[in-house]
Amino acid sequence: MKIKAKLQIGAVLSIGITVVISIILFLASRQVDKAVRQSGAVQNIVTKVFESNLLLNDFLLRHEEQAESQWHGNHEALGNLLAALTLDDVEERGLMNQVRGEHEKTAALFSQLVEGNKEQRRDRDEIISFLELEEKVADELSSRSRAMMSHAAALAELSQARAVGAQRQGSILVVVFTAAVTLVLAVTLVMVAGAVVNPITKLMEATRIIADGNLEHKVDVTGDDEIGMLASAFNEMTHKLKDSYTGLQDAFNEMARKLRKTKKEAKNQQGE
Amino acid sequence: MGGNAVEKHGKILVADDEPAIVELVAEILKSAGYTACTASNIKEAEGILEKEEIVLAVTDIYMPDGTGLDLARKIKSVGAKIPVIIMTGTPKSDNVRQSVNIEVDAYLIKPVGADNLLALVKELI
């Protein structure tokens, strides 16, 4: 394989791996973003659930309209947050559904509590009966509210762990693919160095030997790459140079031979 | 006594500043029964020419104190009948031209082959 082709393959391979890495890192970073976003949304839900619990306690203490309207506002905001959140993880979805279920039930219980407070009661029995009912409803509401808080906290914990996991996975991917690109580049460089440096060293050595006058020397470099072709051309050139030298030597000696013969003949003629 | 026998055992001057070449040429000549008188420079070669009965000179071109062409010119100018073989690793047109002018008897390009050298020696002595 030609050196140019080896370099081209190395370059294409590096570009290919870099593109794949970029895509994978892009997807990983999107996953991290999503996990962090979901974790943030779950934190907001936890805050709203906590606030809802505080407002419920406030209403149970004072039975004021302000606390009631704040509870409803908070309940609606919490409902919007719960509706907007989509989760991929099955466990998280399970917890989420539990929070949603508690959320719906608390709405019904709170309405029941508020309506009961608005009704007019005349005798003592009615009042006692109402207070007993209110206590029961309030207990259930508090219990549901605490359950909602507990589910939301568990959900927040899971969501945060998933975000951290996604970030860790992204970091591992960066390390693995950086190592892969480094390996491909190193292998390409070693291959090219082997294909170029060693034969060139042999060619340099051969040049020195031939320059010293040994025209019989042959460069021991094979292969169909550029260096192999250069070595072949070098050997051919040396062969032609040797032929040329031999030709020159033979021509000279033939001429000298003829000159000696001519001189000898002339001398013989003089002698006669 | 046959002429050939005397000539074959004649003394041949071998001048080259490279000991390996001198040794190689001397060995080739000795193997054919000749005596090799070796010199590593022009001065030594001239001394041998004065003292010994040299029948043929084989000389390199470039040596520390002059050139084999000067030595050949000197041999030819005194009218000596000593044939001269010039040896060189890198033939140059100027050296070839000078060799023709001096009427050098043979021109050998290194590496010198034993057969080639002995054939020329036999032809020239």
Side-chain angles (χ1 to χ4, degrees), chain A residues 211-216 244-246 248-250 252-253 255-257 259-260 263 267, chain B residues 81 89-91 95-96 99-100 103-111 116 120 123-124:
Chain A
D212 284 348
N214 184 1
L215 296 178
E216 302 288 338
S244 167
Y245 278 9
T246 308
L248 173 73
Q249 178 184 285
D250 292 348
F252 186 100
N253 292 339
M255 183 202 71
R257 201 170 283 125
L259 188 65
R260 279 197 299 277
K263 277 188 177 178
K267 199 178 174 185
Chain B
K81 301 281 184 191
T90 47
N95 292 335
V96 175
S99 300
V100 171
E103 293 185 14
V104 161
D105 297 275
Y107 198 88
L108 278 180
I109 294 166
K110 296 176 189 174
N116 209 3
L120 277 171
E123 185 187 332
L124 292 171

Short mmCIF file of all heavy atoms in Angstrom, two decimals, chain A residues 211-216 244-246 248-250 252-253 255-257 259-260 263 267, chain B residues 81 89-91 95-96 99-100 103-111 116 120 123-124:
data_model
loop_
_atom_site.label_atom_id
_atom_site.label_comp_id
_atom_site.label_asym_id
_atom_site.label_seq_id
_atom_site.Cartn_x
_atom_site.Cartn_y
_atom_site.Cartn_z
N ALA A 211 28.61 5.71 -3.13
CA ALA A 211 29.51 6.86 -3.29
C ALA A 211 30.95 6.45 -3.03
O ALA A 211 31.89 7.01 -3.60
CB ALA A 211 29.10 7.97 -2.35
N ASP A 212 31.14 5.43 -2.17
CA ASP A 212 32.49 4.92 -1.90
C ASP A 212 33.01 4.06 -3.05
O ASP A 212 34.14 3.57 -2.99
CB ASP A 212 32.48 4.09 -0.60
CG ASP A 212 32.43 4.98 0.63
OD1 ASP A 212 32.63 6.20 0.46
OD2 ASP A 212 32.17 4.48 1.74
N GLY A 213 32.20 3.85 -4.06
CA GLY A 213 32.68 3.16 -5.25
C GLY A 213 32.14 1.76 -5.45
O GLY A 213 32.46 1.11 -6.44
N ASN A 214 31.32 1.26 -4.50
CA ASN A 214 30.81 -0.10 -4.66
C ASN A 214 29.51 -0.09 -5.47
O ASN A 214 28.41 0.02 -4.91
CB ASN A 214 30.60 -0.75 -3.29
CG ASN A 214 30.16 -2.19 -3.40
OD1 ASN A 214 30.03 -2.71 -4.53
ND2 ASN A 214 29.94 -2.84 -2.29
N LEU A 215 29.68 -0.20 -6.78
CA LEU A 215 28.49 -0.13 -7.65
C LEU A 215 27.73 -1.45 -7.71
O LEU A 215 26.71 -1.56 -8.38
CB LEU A 215 28.90 0.31 -9.06
CG LEU A 215 29.49 1.72 -9.16
CD1 LEU A 215 29.90 2.03 -10.58
CD2 LEU A 215 28.52 2.78 -8.68
N GLU A 216 28.27 -2.45 -7.02
CA GLU A 216 27.58 -3.75 -6.98
C GLU A 216 26.48 -3.74 -5.91
O GLU A 216 25.63 -4.61 -5.88
CB GLU A 216 28.57 -4.87 -6.62
CG GLU A 216 29.75 -5.03 -7.55
CD GLU A 216 29.34 -5.63 -8.89
OE1 GLU A 216 28.29 -6.28 -8.93
OE2 GLU A 216 30.06 -5.40 -9.87
N SER A 244 27.66 2.17 -17.42
CA SER A 244 28.30 3.32 -18.05
C SER A 244 29.80 3.35 -17.74
O SER A 244 30.63 3.56 -18.62
CB SER A 244 27.60 4.58 -17.54
OG SER A 244 28.33 5.71 -17.86
N TYR A 245 30.12 3.07 -16.46
CA TYR A 245 31.54 3.03 -16.05
C TYR A 245 32.28 1.91 -16.77
O TYR A 245 33.39 2.09 -17.25
CB TYR A 245 31.63 2.80 -14.53
CG TYR A 245 31.45 4.05 -13.70
CD1 TYR A 245 31.04 5.25 -14.27
CD2 TYR A 245 31.70 4.03 -12.33
CE1 TYR A 245 30.87 6.39 -13.48
CE2 TYR A 245 31.54 5.16 -11.54
CZ TYR A 245 31.12 6.33 -12.13
OH TYR A 245 30.95 7.45 -11.35
N THR A 246 31.64 0.75 -16.84
CA THR A 246 32.28 -0.39 -17.52
C THR A 246 32.50 -0.06 -18.99
O THR A 246 33.55 -0.37 -19.57
CB THR A 246 31.38 -1.65 -17.38
OG1 THR A 246 31.07 -1.81 -16.01
CG2 THR A 246 32.08 -2.89 -17.88
N LEU A 248 32.87 2.91 -20.25
CA LEU A 248 33.95 3.89 -20.33
C LEU A 248 35.30 3.19 -20.20
O LEU A 248 36.24 3.45 -20.98
CB LEU A 248 33.76 4.91 -19.20
CG LEU A 248 34.88 5.92 -19.00
CD1 LEU A 248 34.86 6.94 -20.13
CD2 LEU A 248 34.75 6.63 -17.66
N GLN A 249 35.38 2.30 -19.23
CA GLN A 249 36.62 1.55 -18.98
C GLN A 249 37.02 0.72 -20.20
O GLN A 249 38.17 0.78 -20.65
CB GLN A 249 36.38 0.66 -17.77
CG GLN A 249 37.52 -0.23 -17.38
CD GLN A 249 37.09 -1.14 -16.22
OE1 GLN A 249 36.99 -0.68 -15.10
NE2 GLN A 249 36.83 -2.39 -16.50
N ASP A 250 36.03 -0.01 -20.75
CA ASP A 250 36.32 -0.87 -21.90
C ASP A 250 36.73 -0.03 -23.13
O ASP A 250 37.64 -0.40 -23.86
CB ASP A 250 35.09 -1.72 -22.23
CG ASP A 250 34.83 -2.75 -21.14
OD1 ASP A 250 35.73 -2.92 -20.27
OD2 ASP A 250 33.74 -3.36 -21.12
N PHE A 252 38.10 2.93 -23.11
CA PHE A 252 39.45 3.47 -22.89
C PHE A 252 40.49 2.40 -23.18
O PHE A 252 41.46 2.63 -23.91
CB PHE A 252 39.58 3.94 -21.43
CG PHE A 252 40.87 4.65 -21.14
CD1 PHE A 252 40.93 6.02 -21.09
CD2 PHE A 252 42.07 3.93 -20.97
CE1 PHE A 252 42.13 6.68 -20.85
CE2 PHE A 252 43.26 4.58 -20.74
CZ PHE A 252 43.30 5.96 -20.66
N ASN A 253 40.27 1.22 -22.61
CA ASN A 253 41.27 0.16 -22.75
C ASN A 253 41.40 -0.30 -24.20
O ASN A 253 42.49 -0.62 -24.66
CB ASN A 253 40.93 -1.00 -21.82
CG ASN A 253 41.10 -0.59 -20.37
OD1 ASN A 253 41.81 0.37 -20.08
ND2 ASN A 253 40.44 -1.29 -19.46
N MET A 255 40.86 1.61 -26.79
CA MET A 255 41.58 2.69 -27.48
C MET A 255 43.09 2.58 -27.21
O MET A 255 43.91 2.69 -28.12
CB MET A 255 41.04 4.02 -26.98
CG MET A 255 41.62 5.22 -27.65
SD MET A 255 41.40 6.66 -26.60
CE MET A 255 42.57 6.30 -25.30
N ALA A 256 43.43 2.34 -25.92
CA ALA A 256 44.84 2.21 -25.54
C ALA A 256 45.48 1.02 -26.25
O ALA A 256 46.64 1.08 -26.70
CB ALA A 256 44.95 2.05 -24.03
N ARG A 257 44.66 -0.05 -26.36
CA ARG A 257 45.15 -1.26 -27.04
C ARG A 257 45.49 -0.96 -28.51
O ARG A 257 46.54 -1.31 -29.02
CB ARG A 257 44.07 -2.33 -26.94
CG ARG A 257 44.57 -3.73 -27.12
CD ARG A 257 43.49 -4.73 -26.77
NE ARG A 257 43.31 -4.88 -25.34
CZ ARG A 257 42.16 -4.74 -24.70
NH1 ARG A 257 41.06 -4.41 -25.37
NH2 ARG A 257 42.08 -4.91 -23.40
N LEU A 259 46.12 1.93 -29.81
CA LEU A 259 47.26 2.87 -29.87
C LEU A 259 48.59 2.11 -29.76
O LEU A 259 49.54 2.37 -30.51
CB LEU A 259 47.13 3.88 -28.72
CG LEU A 259 48.11 5.04 -28.73
CD1 LEU A 259 47.88 5.94 -29.95
CD2 LEU A 259 47.97 5.88 -27.46
N ARG A 260 48.60 1.14 -28.83
CA ARG A 260 49.82 0.33 -28.66
C ARG A 260 50.12 -0.45 -29.93
O ARG A 260 51.27 -0.52 -30.37
CB ARG A 260 49.63 -0.65 -27.50
CG ARG A 260 49.85 -0.05 -26.14
CD ARG A 260 50.06 -1.11 -25.08
NE ARG A 260 48.93 -2.01 -24.93
CZ ARG A 260 47.85 -1.75 -24.20
NH1 ARG A 260 47.77 -0.60 -23.54
NH2 ARG A 260 46.87 -2.61 -24.10
N LYS A 263 51.45 1.85 -32.62
CA LYS A 263 52.85 2.22 -32.33
C LYS A 263 53.80 1.09 -32.65
O LYS A 263 54.89 1.30 -33.19
CB LYS A 263 52.97 2.60 -30.85
CG LYS A 263 52.58 4.02 -30.56
CD LYS A 263 52.93 4.33 -29.12
CE LYS A 263 52.62 5.79 -28.80
NZ LYS A 263 52.91 6.07 -27.40
N LYS A 267 56.75 1.06 -35.38
CA LYS A 267 58.13 0.73 -34.97
C LYS A 267 58.70 -0.39 -35.84
O LYS A 267 59.85 -0.33 -36.29
CB LYS A 267 58.10 0.31 -33.51
CG LYS A 267 59.44 0.38 -32.84
CD LYS A 267 59.28 0.00 -31.39
CE LYS A 267 60.63 -0.10 -30.71
NZ LYS A 267 60.48 -0.58 -29.33
N LYS B 81 59.67 2.11 -20.22
CA LYS B 81 58.72 1.24 -20.93
C LYS B 81 57.73 0.60 -19.94
O LYS B 81 57.22 -0.48 -20.19
CB LYS B 81 59.48 0.12 -21.67
CG LYS B 81 60.47 0.61 -22.69
CD LYS B 81 59.76 1.03 -23.97
CE LYS B 81 60.78 1.44 -25.04
NZ LYS B 81 60.13 2.07 -26.17
N GLY B 89 37.82 5.26 -8.33
CA GLY B 89 36.46 4.92 -7.90
C GLY B 89 35.44 5.81 -8.57
O GLY B 89 34.30 5.42 -8.82
N THR B 90 35.87 7.03 -8.86
CA THR B 90 34.94 8.00 -9.46
C THR B 90 35.57 8.61 -10.72
O THR B 90 36.31 9.59 -10.65
CB THR B 90 34.65 9.13 -8.46
OG1 THR B 90 35.90 9.57 -7.91
CG2 THR B 90 33.75 8.66 -7.34
N PRO B 91 35.27 8.01 -11.85
CA PRO B 91 35.86 8.53 -13.08
C PRO B 91 35.31 9.92 -13.44
O PRO B 91 34.11 10.12 -13.38
CB PRO B 91 35.46 7.50 -14.13
CG PRO B 91 34.30 6.79 -13.57
CD PRO B 91 34.36 6.89 -12.09
N ASN B 95 39.89 13.59 -15.77
CA ASN B 95 40.89 12.54 -15.52
C ASN B 95 41.04 11.62 -16.73
O ASN B 95 42.14 11.20 -17.07
CB ASN B 95 40.47 11.71 -14.30
CG ASN B 95 40.56 12.52 -13.03
OD1 ASN B 95 41.32 13.48 -12.96
ND2 ASN B 95 39.77 12.14 -12.03
N VAL B 96 39.91 11.31 -17.35
CA VAL B 96 39.94 10.43 -18.52
C VAL B 96 40.74 11.12 -19.64
O VAL B 96 41.60 10.51 -20.30
CB VAL B 96 38.51 10.09 -18.99
CG1 VAL B 96 38.52 9.29 -20.28
CG2 VAL B 96 37.76 9.32 -17.91
N SER B 99 44.34 11.10 -18.87
CA SER B 99 44.88 9.74 -19.05
C SER B 99 45.15 9.45 -20.52
O SER B 99 46.16 8.82 -20.88
CB SER B 99 43.88 8.71 -18.49
OG SER B 99 43.66 8.95 -17.13
N VAL B 100 44.23 9.94 -21.39
CA VAL B 100 44.42 9.74 -22.84
C VAL B 100 45.67 10.49 -23.28
O VAL B 100 46.52 9.95 -24.01
CB VAL B 100 43.17 10.23 -23.62
CG1 VAL B 100 43.45 10.24 -25.12
CG2 VAL B 100 41.97 9.37 -23.29
N GLU B 103 48.84 8.96 -22.34
CA GLU B 103 48.92 7.63 -22.97
C GLU B 103 49.04 6.53 -21.92
O GLU B 103 49.89 5.64 -22.00
CB GLU B 103 50.07 7.57 -23.99
CG GLU B 103 49.81 8.46 -25.19
CD GLU B 103 50.86 8.31 -26.28
OE1 GLU B 103 51.66 7.35 -26.23
OE2 GLU B 103 50.87 9.16 -27.18
N VAL B 104 48.19 6.67 -20.93
CA VAL B 104 48.08 5.63 -19.92
C VAL B 104 47.62 4.35 -20.62
O VAL B 104 46.85 4.40 -21.58
CB VAL B 104 47.04 6.08 -18.85
CG1 VAL B 104 46.54 4.91 -18.05
CG2 VAL B 104 47.65 7.13 -17.94
N ASP B 105 48.12 3.19 -20.17
CA ASP B 105 47.86 1.95 -20.91
C ASP B 105 46.50 1.31 -20.61
O ASP B 105 45.96 0.58 -21.43
CB ASP B 105 48.98 0.95 -20.60
CG ASP B 105 50.31 1.49 -21.08
OD1 ASP B 105 50.63 1.31 -22.25
OD2 ASP B 105 50.98 2.19 -20.28
N ALA B 106 46.00 1.54 -19.40
CA ALA B 106 44.68 0.99 -19.09
C ALA B 106 44.02 1.81 -17.98
O ALA B 106 44.70 2.47 -17.19
CB ALA B 106 44.78 -0.48 -18.68
N TYR B 107 42.73 1.73 -18.00
CA TYR B 107 41.94 2.52 -17.03
C TYR B 107 40.98 1.55 -16.36
O TYR B 107 40.18 0.89 -17.03
CB TYR B 107 41.18 3.58 -17.83
CG TYR B 107 40.65 4.74 -17.02
CD1 TYR B 107 41.43 5.87 -16.78
CD2 TYR B 107 39.35 4.73 -16.55
CE1 TYR B 107 40.93 6.95 -16.08
CE2 TYR B 107 38.85 5.81 -15.83
CZ TYR B 107 39.63 6.91 -15.60
OH TYR B 107 39.15 7.97 -14.91
N LEU B 108 41.09 1.44 -15.02
CA LEU B 108 40.22 0.51 -14.29
C LEU B 108 39.35 1.26 -13.29
O LEU B 108 39.84 2.14 -12.59
CB LEU B 108 41.05 -0.52 -13.51
CG LEU B 108 41.58 -1.72 -14.28
CD1 LEU B 108 42.38 -2.61 -13.33
CD2 LEU B 108 40.44 -2.53 -14.89
N ILE B 109 38.09 0.93 -13.29
CA ILE B 109 37.18 1.57 -12.32
C ILE B 109 36.93 0.61 -11.17
O ILE B 109 36.62 -0.56 -11.38
CB ILE B 109 35.86 1.99 -13.02
CG1 ILE B 109 36.18 3.09 -14.04
CG2 ILE B 109 34.86 2.51 -12.00
CD1 ILE B 109 35.09 3.38 -15.02
N LYS B 110 37.12 1.14 -9.96
CA LYS B 110 36.90 0.33 -8.75
C LYS B 110 35.42 0.02 -8.60
O LYS B 110 34.59 0.86 -8.97
CB LYS B 110 37.39 1.08 -7.51
CG LYS B 110 38.88 1.35 -7.49
CD LYS B 110 39.20 2.19 -6.25
CE LYS B 110 40.64 2.68 -6.28
NZ LYS B 110 40.91 3.62 -5.17
N PRO B 111 35.00 -1.08 -7.99
CA PRO B 111 35.89 -2.11 -7.44
C PRO B 111 36.53 -2.95 -8.55
O PRO B 111 35.87 -3.32 -9.51
CB PRO B 111 34.92 -2.96 -6.60
CG PRO B 111 33.59 -2.76 -7.22
CD PRO B 111 33.58 -1.39 -7.77
N ASN B 116 39.65 -9.19 -14.46
CA ASN B 116 39.89 -8.03 -15.32
C ASN B 116 41.31 -7.50 -15.14
O ASN B 116 42.01 -7.24 -16.11
CB ASN B 116 38.86 -6.96 -14.93
CG ASN B 116 38.53 -6.06 -16.10
OD1 ASN B 116 39.00 -6.27 -17.20
ND2 ASN B 116 37.72 -5.05 -15.83
N LEU B 120 44.47 -7.67 -17.88
CA LEU B 120 45.17 -6.47 -18.37
C LEU B 120 46.67 -6.55 -18.08
O LEU B 120 47.51 -6.20 -18.93
CB LEU B 120 44.58 -5.22 -17.68
CG LEU B 120 43.30 -4.65 -18.30
CD1 LEU B 120 42.73 -3.58 -17.40
CD2 LEU B 120 43.58 -4.09 -19.69
N GLU B 123 48.27 -8.79 -20.48
CA GLU B 123 48.31 -8.19 -21.81
C GLU B 123 49.42 -7.14 -21.91
O GLU B 123 50.07 -6.98 -22.93
CB GLU B 123 46.95 -7.53 -22.07
CG GLU B 123 46.80 -6.97 -23.47
CD GLU B 123 45.49 -6.19 -23.63
OE1 GLU B 123 44.53 -6.51 -22.93
OE2 GLU B 123 45.49 -5.25 -24.44
N LEU B 124 49.62 -6.43 -20.79
CA LEU B 124 50.54 -5.28 -20.83
C LEU B 124 52.00 -5.64 -20.57
O LEU B 124 52.90 -4.94 -21.00
CB LEU B 124 50.10 -4.22 -19.82
CG LEU B 124 48.78 -3.52 -20.16
CD1 LEU B 124 48.31 -2.65 -19.00
CD2 LEU B 124 48.91 -2.68 -21.42
#
